[in-house]
Amino acid sequence: MEKLQLAFLAGIVVLGIAAQWVAWRLRLPAILVLLIAGFAAGRFVAGQGMPLHDVIDEELLFPLVSLSVAVILFEGGMSLRLRELADFPGVVVRLVTIGAAVTWILSTGLILLLFDFELWMAALAGAILVVTGPTVIIPLLQHVRPTRRLWTIAKWEGIVIDPIGAVLAVLVFEAALNVGEAVRTSIAMLGLTLLVGGAGGVLGALFVIRLLRSRRIPDFLDNPVLLAVVFATYAASNWIQDESGLLTVTVMGIVLANQRRVSVQHLIEFKENLRTLLISVLFILLAARVEWAQIADVGLPGLGLLAGLILVVRPASVMLATWGSPLDWREKLFLCAMAPRGIVAAAVSSVFALRIAAASEPLARQAEQMVSSIYLVIVGTVTIYGLAAAPLARWLGLANPNPQGILFGGAAPVVRAIAEALRKLDFDVLLVDRNRDQVRAARMSGLPVVHANVLSEYVRDQYDLGGIGRMLAMTPNDEVNSLAALQYAEAFGRSAVYQLPSEARDTVQDEAASSHLRGQLLFARDATYWRLAEWFASGAVVKSTTLTTEFDFDAFRLEYGESAIVMFVIDELRKLRIVTVDSKQKHRPGDTLVSLVMPTEKPA
């Protein structure tokens, strides 16, 4: 038994990370692969003749799930910047109020129509189905990569709706237990929940800010202390008022993200990594608990509920909530296909089912059916939205899941020439420079350019980077290039940020010592900014050359000499590869090379 428990727990972590990698390689939604892995894990344990509840104690499982969800919601809150809502605050507010109310009412009516539930039980299930959550929304958005506006709206809705749905479910449950004073009880509970959640979140954030400003804890304890504070505030809030903890940690994350007194960037990176691990483990754990017999037990009513939620409830809530908003029909249609249910719905439904079974044995059957139907909705919405969202977004022209465009840090003459060559090959480019003369010259050339510091958050916040997938730091300042690579690694990933080699880097040892503090080195070891500028000023030009069987790479070298620097390679599938100092790829017929070609030998 002990060996099986150890193997299962270790296997969950391995399976979760492996599923994330497989999803990345196959360009599939990670949550879909995680569900499949979870079902497989559950069937494997069942095949060993050991029920899953014997392997993992459910009385311990759900508190662990609740704490994990708290961390995920806190991390989600830390990703919410109030300035993101400057252009469309009303849309998000209406989605989490009007949209949530419409979802609850229609879901409740649909459940009453399909299941033999009491009214309050149907209302409870409908409240639980209001939630979507960052555990499913954020991985799906990362897979789809919609426009900045849609990303922001969907992210805010998915994070804020979780505590709203959980609180609504608590209100329905408590009102059902106090039928005689349902209205008074619900109002009192709502007020107490908002008070505890809001005040607890603000106080927790102020405590963290004070700790960081006081310098009383060493840097290596910043993340563990923050995690401890999140757990403590979540548990304390729930102790005072049921389910207020989710609101507390969300508010705490939002306050920390939007304050200016201390830097929390290093905390955000840790929480993002922790979120990925927790999502991987939680999805497999909860999917492994699903018995196919339970899913089959709800049968056609369950499938009817799933279809009704996708085809009627979500479109109705989005259309009513966004009526008269600045969103166009394509954006509204995309939001109609963005409501998967996830960890919070599974955890909340399971917790309430246990409480209902303990309070009333005759209602245990309905509670079991409620959990089974919600699990069916989770599996169905994750699968359907996960597979359909990306093709729908591409068809609507709202996303590019594999963006090939490049953000250039700098707009010097050689950078403009490189960007112009790529734009002629139909790749998106965007230049960022704080030098007015460089910006003016780029605009005169017809290149999209932003007058800003590449290190500022202005570019990421104000410009749609939907077609941009890589960042090339090509300013004259080596330190700025390194900082830009570090900053944009958060948006594009560390494998998609590049910078020019440093003038001061003379040895391989120096290069290796700072490799974790910079992007990949571009083009060639001697292709520093000043040498590129010198070569370009001496008559070098940027050329695009397509290799054929008659004119292969050897013929290219014979034509242009060893001094030509190959900077980019576009293969026959129109995939853009950036050449680095470590590149060892072979150039084949059909490849298009974008090179800096010298008129003669490179200047010394």
Side-chain angles (χ1 to χ4, degrees):
M1 176 64 180
E2 182 179 345
K3 290 182 178 180
L4 180 60
Q5 287 178 320
L6 178 63
F8 182 73
L9 292 175
I12 285 174
V13 178
V14 174
L15 264 181
I17 303 305
Q20 292 274 3
W21 182 83
V22 169
W24 171 76
R25 289 288 298 176
L26 299 181
R27 302 188 186 281
L28 291 172
I31 46 181
L32 180 59
V33 182
L34 287 168
L35 278 178
I36 295 172
F39 293 146
R43 302 294 74 73
F44 173 78
V45 173
Q48 305 303 308
M50 185 72 67
L52 189 61
H53 57 77
D54 287 346
V55 179
I56 298 180
D57 186 358
E58 290 194 353
E59 292 185 1
L60 180 61
L61 173 62
F62 286 110
L64 289 176
V65 169
S66 297
L67 287 174
S68 300
V69 170
V71 173
I72 292 169
L73 276 180
F74 171 73
E75 192 277 331
M78 289 190 73
S79 71
L80 300 180
R81 302 292 194 275
L82 294 176
R83 60 179 175 271
E84 294 175 337
L85 297 180
D87 297 331
F88 36 83
V91 175
V92 173
V93 171
R94 289 160 67 178
L95 280 171
V96 299
T97 53
I98 297 173
V102 171
T103 300
W104 177 41
I105 294 169
L106 292 182
S107 299
T108 300
L110 193 60
I111 292 169
L112 286 173
L113 182 65
L114 295 170
F115 293 90
D116 186 21
F117 282 6
E118 294 190 16
L119 176 59
W120 74 268
M121 182 73 78
L124 175 63
I128 295 171
L129 289 173
V130 166
V131 305
T132 53
T135 59
V136 282
I137 289 293
I138 291 178
L140 193 52
L141 289 174
Q142 290 171 338
H143 172 69
V144 176
R145 295 183 66 94
T147 61
R148 183 181 66 89
R149 179 154 78 169
L150 285 175
W151 180 295
T152 301
I153 292 172
K155 179 182 70 173
W156 270 84
E157 182 197 10
I159 293 171
V160 175
I161 203 72
D162 264 8
I164 291 176
V167 169
L168 181 60
V170 172
L171 293 178
V172 172
F173 184 76
E174 294 297 332
L177 295 181
N178 301 277
V179 179
E181 299 181 353
V183 175
R184 182 182 303 176
T185 300
S186 297
I187 293 175
M189 286 191 59
L190 178 60
L192 184 58
T193 300
L194 293 176
L195 176 63
V196 172
V202 172
L203 290 175
L206 291 176
F207 179 70
V208 171
I209 293 169
R210 185 175 180 84
L211 279 180
L212 294 177
R213 281 177 61 87
S214 68
R215 308 282 183 181
R216 292 179 180 174
I217 54 176
D219 291 345
F220 75 92
L221 282 180
D222 278 353
N223 286 309
V225 167
L226 179 61
L227 193 61
V229 174
V230 171
F231 285 159
T233 53
Y234 174 77
S237 295
N238 275 353
W239 185 273
I240 298 171
Q241 174 60 37
D242 282 347
E243 302 305 326
S244 64
L246 294 181
L247 179 60
T248 297
V249 295
T250 304
V251 170
M252 181 177 167
I254 294 174
V255 172
L256 282 174
N258 290 277
Q259 55 80 36
R260 298 296 181 189
R261 301 180 68 183
V262 294
S263 173
V264 294
Q265 188 61 41
H266 61 300
L267 304 176
I268 291 175
E269 183 177 353
F270 168 74
K271 290 296 175 291
E272 287 177 342
N273 295 332
L274 184 60
R275 179 198 68 201
T276 300
L277 177 62
L278 290 176
I279 288 176
S280 302
V281 171
L282 289 179
F283 260 100
I284 290 181
L285 262 179
L286 294 179
R289 295 183 65 256
V290 177
E291 300 272 350
W292 286 114
Q294 293 177 318
I295 299 295
D297 185 49
V298 296
L300 290 178
L303 294 176
L305 176 61
L306 174 63
L309 289 171
I310 293 174
L311 299 177
V312 178
V313 176
R314 178 60 178 180
S317 66
V318 169
M319 293 304 176
L320 289 173
T322 59
W323 184 273
S325 73
L327 300 183
D328 61 31
W329 70 270
R330 297 176 307 142
E331 292 170 316
K332 293 178 182 179
L333 184 57
F334 175 77
L335 289 175
C336 289
M338 187 57 65
R341 273 65 175 184
I343 295 297
V344 177
V348 172
S349 64
S350 298
V351 169
F352 277 116
L354 292 175
R355 294 174 66 179
I356 292 169
S360 174
E361 187 173 341
L363 292 175
R365 172 64 176 170
Q366 290 186 27
E368 183 180 324
Q369 280 191 313
M370 179 186 71
V371 173
S372 300
S373 61
I374 289 176
Y375 269 96
L376 176 60
V377 167
I378 292 171
V379 174
T381 55
V382 165
T383 302
I384 294 171
Y385 290 134
L387 293 177
L392 176 64
R394 289 196 298 270
W395 178 70
L396 293 172
L398 297 173
N400 185 352
N402 185 27
Q404 299 286 300
I406 293 179
L407 174 68
F408 287 92
V414 64
V415 179
R416 297 198 302 268
I418 294 171
E420 181 64 30
L422 291 176
R423 194 178 66 155
K424 288 180 179 178
L425 294 169
D426 295 327
F427 291 100
D428 293 332
V429 296
L430 179 64
L431 285 67
V432 182
D433 203 305
R434 64 185 304 177
N435 185 299
R436 293 184 182 275
D437 293 333
Q438 307 284 28
V439 171
R440 187 180 299 110
R443 286 176 179 160
M444 291 292 290
S445 301
L447 290 169
V449 62
V450 180
H451 181 223
N453 189 327
V454 71
L455 298 179
S456 72
E457 296 181 348
Y458 173 78
V459 178
R460 287 185 294 172
D461 292 341
Q462 299 298 322
Y463 285 84
D464 185 0
L465 301 179
I468 304 294
R470 273 77 65 88
M471 196 283 298
L472 272 58
M474 300 181 69
T475 75
N477 190 306
D478 295 326
E479 287 75 19
V480 169
N481 289 340
S482 295
L483 289 172
L486 284 173
Q487 179 166 306
Y488 281 92
E490 178 186 349
F492 300 137
R494 282 186 293 179
S495 63
V497 291
Y498 305 79
Q499 70 181 89
L500 291 173
S502 169
E503 293 282 347
R505 186 175 289 115
D506 296 324
T507 66
V508 174
Q509 287 80 5
D510 291 338
E511 180 180 299
S514 60
S515 61
H516 68 290
L517 299 176
R518 57 166 172 78
Q520 300 181 69
L521 298 183
L522 287 167
F523 310 146
R525 293 190 182 277
D526 59 345
T528 64
Y529 173 85
W530 295 111
R531 290 188 181 181
L532 285 178
E534 180 184 359
W535 298 335
F536 191 74
S538 301
V541 294
V542 179
K543 286 190 175 182
S544 301
T545 308
T546 301
L547 302 181
T548 65
T549 52
E550 293 78 16
F551 189 83
D552 57 11
F553 188 65
D554 291 334
F556 171 86
R557 281 298 182 203
L558 188 62
E559 174 76 17
Y560 297 112
E562 292 295 328
S563 61
I565 300 177
V566 179
M567 299 181 291
F568 306 91
V569 181
I570 300 103
D571 62 22
E572 292 181 300
L573 299 177
R574 299 291 300 162
K575 182 178 180 181
L576 177 67
R577 300 197 304 270
I578 300 173
V579 177
T580 67
V581 297
D582 298 319
S583 295
K584 297 180 180 179
Q585 56 199 18
K586 293 183 179 181
H587 306 301
R588 301 178 176 86
D591 289 349
T592 297
L593 310 183
V594 178
S595 314
L596 187 66
V597 178
M598 312 298 163
T600 55
E601 289 297 314
K602 286 190 275 188

